[in-house]
Amino acid sequence: MTVPGIDHPRLVEWMGRNVPDAGEPQSVALISGGRSNLTYVVEARERRLVLRRPPLGHVLPTAHDMRREWRVISALAPTPVPVPEPVAFCADEDVIGSPFYLMGYVEGVAVRESEQLGDPTPEQTRRLSERLAEVLAAIHAVDYREVGLGDFGRPEGYMARQLDRWCQQWERSKTADLPDYYRLVERLRARLPAEAAGTLVHGDYRLDNTLLRLGDLEITAVVDWEMSTLGDPLADLGLTLTYWHDRGDDERARIPVAGDVTVAPGFLSAAEFAGHYTKVSGREISDLGFYVAFGNFKLAVIVEGIHARFRQGKTVGEGFDRIGSAVPTLISRAHRMLDQH
C-alpha cells in the first residue's frame, strides 16, 4: 500500500504498540482537499481513526505543529467546544517521516461548496451561520487556565507579534516582491489596536475548518487547530470574515479558498455574522475593520506559502495552479478595508 506521507508497515507496528485497542490498520486514505496539514482516514480492525501530519515539503519554522494541535484538542475535549476525541500522539519522526497524531473519527464533512449542503431551507442555513458564530464565542469563553493551557501562548503583545511572525513567513515563502504588501505592513503597524484581554484563539476559524453533519447541518467538530494560541479573540473574528463570501462580491469569488457556501440562501452576511458574534459573546468590535484587514494580510501570506509549495511540486491535491493569483487580491482588499474604516 503506497499513500503519500505514510509508511504503512511502520504505522502498523507503531499502532500495535501504542493503540492496541484499535486493532491493526487495514487501510489508510488521504482525505482530499487538504491545503496545509495532511489528513487521512485510518480504517483499523476495531475502529475508524483520523491521522494528521504536516505537509510533505517547505515546512516553515513553528508552522504545522502537530503537538500543538494535539494538546489543544486534548484540553478542549471536556469543554462545550466540539472537538474530535484525542487518541494518540507520535513525536518519533522515524515512523512516517514527521510527528503525527490520531484522533477519533467524527461523522461530518468539511463543506467548501454550496452544493455539498444538499437542499437545505434558508432557516437551516441561517441557523448554521448563527451556530458558527456561537461556537467561535464558545472557544473564546474557555477558561484556558482551567483546562491546562495557561502557558499555551502570551496574550500580551499578541497582535504585534502576529504582524512580525507573518512578515517573517512572507520573507521565507515569497515568490515575488509586491510593493503593496510592504505598504500594507506599514499601515497595519501604525494601526495596531490597544491590548485586549486574551483568550484561546483558533487562528484559522472558518466554516470548512468545522465538520458538519449533513441533514440537520449541526457542527460536530472544530478541526485544524495548528495555529491556535492565546491572543486577541477579534483576530479570529476578522479572519473568519476574511473567508466569508457575501452574495454579490465577485472579487471574493475569484479567491479560491473556503468556497462559496456562505452565498447560499439564508446565510448571514458578514456584517450579520459579526453582529451575532457580538450578541452571544458580549464583546465590543468597534475596530473590526483593522482585524478584517489583518485577516486579509494573514491569508495572503498563507496563500503565498501554499503557492510556494506548489511551485516546488510539494502539494497534494488539486486546484493549486490558480491560488497564487489570490495574493495581490487579498492585499488589495486589506488596503480597501483600512481605507473604509
Side-chain angles (χ1 to χ4, degrees):
M1 177 184 299
T2 302
V3 181
I6 298 294
D7 185 318
H8 191 78
R10 290 188 176 183
L11 179 63
V12 169
E13 180 186 359
W14 184 87
M15 286 183 61
R17 288 185 281 108
N18 293 276
V19 199
D21 293 346
E24 182 176 333
Q26 307 295 296
S27 66
V28 181
L30 178 70
I31 297 175
S32 62
R35 288 180 170 166
S36 183
N37 287 335
L38 302 181
T39 308
Y40 306 79
V41 173
V42 179
E43 297 285 358
R45 191 179 301 278
E46 300 300 328
R47 64 180 300 194
R48 179 181 292 172
L49 299 170
V50 171
L51 184 150
R52 289 270 287 172
R53 62 149 292 158
L56 301 183
H58 197 75
V59 178
L60 296 169
T62 77
H64 314 294
D65 188 338
M66 294 295 96
R67 189 181 294 277
R68 194 166 196 83
E69 282 198 18
W70 166 258
R71 184 178 173 193
V72 75
I73 67 167
S74 298
L76 291 176
T79 75
V81 178
V83 292
E85 173 200 355
V87 175
F89 176 80
C90 177
D92 184 356
E93 297 188 11
D94 289 339
V95 178
I96 65 168
S98 72
F100 68 93
Y101 69 92
L102 293 170
M103 55 188 172
Y105 182 86
V106 176
E107 290 293 338
V109 296
V111 172
R112 295 180 175 87
E113 307 299 336
S114 54
E115 59 262 25
Q116 290 179 267
L117 294 175
D119 190 25
T121 66
E123 291 75 17
Q124 285 179 307
T125 51
R126 180 178 184 84
R127 181 61 197 133
L128 169 58
S129 46
E130 290 175 343
R131 180 64 180 144
L132 192 69
E134 291 160 10
V135 171
L136 181 60
I139 292 170
H140 297 159
V142 167
D143 185 334
Y144 59 82
R145 296 182 184 88
E146 183 68 24
V147 299
L149 295 176
D151 61 347
F152 197 59
R154 291 181 293 133
E156 303 79 12
Y158 171 75
M159 291 307 300
R161 287 197 312 277
Q162 280 284 293
L163 183 57
D164 289 342
R165 176 195 172 180
W166 290 105
C167 285
Q168 291 166 7
Q169 302 285 59
W170 173 271
E171 293 302 324
R172 293 187 182 103
S173 297
K174 67 178 179 179
T175 60
D177 278 318
L178 299 177
D180 279 353
Y181 163 82
Y182 295 102
R183 187 166 64 89
L184 175 60
V185 170
E186 292 175 1
R187 296 185 73 187
L188 290 172
R189 199 174 299 281
R191 280 273 300 270
L192 284 170
E195 291 291 328
T199 70
L200 177 65
V201 294
H202 180 276
D204 197 20
Y205 189 80
R206 61 183 195 262
L207 183 62
D208 61 328
N209 273 341
T210 71
L211 300 180
L212 298 185
R213 186 171 57 222
L214 299 181
D216 61 359
L217 299 188
E218 179 56 42
I219 295 174
T220 55
V222 180
V223 294
D224 289 12
W225 291 90
E226 65 182 277
M227 296 183 186
S228 58
T229 188
L230 305 182
D232 188 335
L234 294 188
D236 264 351
L237 179 60
L239 188 62
T240 303
L241 297 175
T242 296
Y243 286 115
W244 209 266
H245 184 180
D246 275 339
R247 287 179 289 279
D249 187 348
D250 294 337
E251 181 184 64
R252 180 64 187 79
R254 296 192 295 271
I255 301 172
V257 292
D260 68 346
V261 183
T262 57
V263 303
F267 263 93
L268 299 178
S269 67
E272 290 170 334
F273 180 88
H276 192 65
Y277 171 85
T278 302
K279 176 183 175 182
V280 297
S281 69
R283 295 186 187 281
E284 169 61 43
I285 59 170
S286 59
D287 200 17
L288 185 59
F290 167 86
Y291 291 97
V292 177
F294 193 94
N296 278 274
F297 157 75
K298 176 177 172 180
L299 184 55
V301 178
I302 293 170
V303 170
E304 182 71 355
I306 297 169
H307 179 55
R309 289 202 300 275
F310 166 73
R311 288 176 52 150
Q312 293 177 345
K314 297 292 188 179
T315 49
V316 177
E318 299 178 353
F320 295 104
D321 54 324
R322 305 187 314 274
I323 205 164
S325 64
V327 174
T329 304
L330 287 162
I331 292 170
S332 175
R333 287 170 74 88
H335 278 294
R336 198 156 61 242
M337 187 60 61
L338 293 175
D339 291 342
Q340 294 170 357
H341 297 274

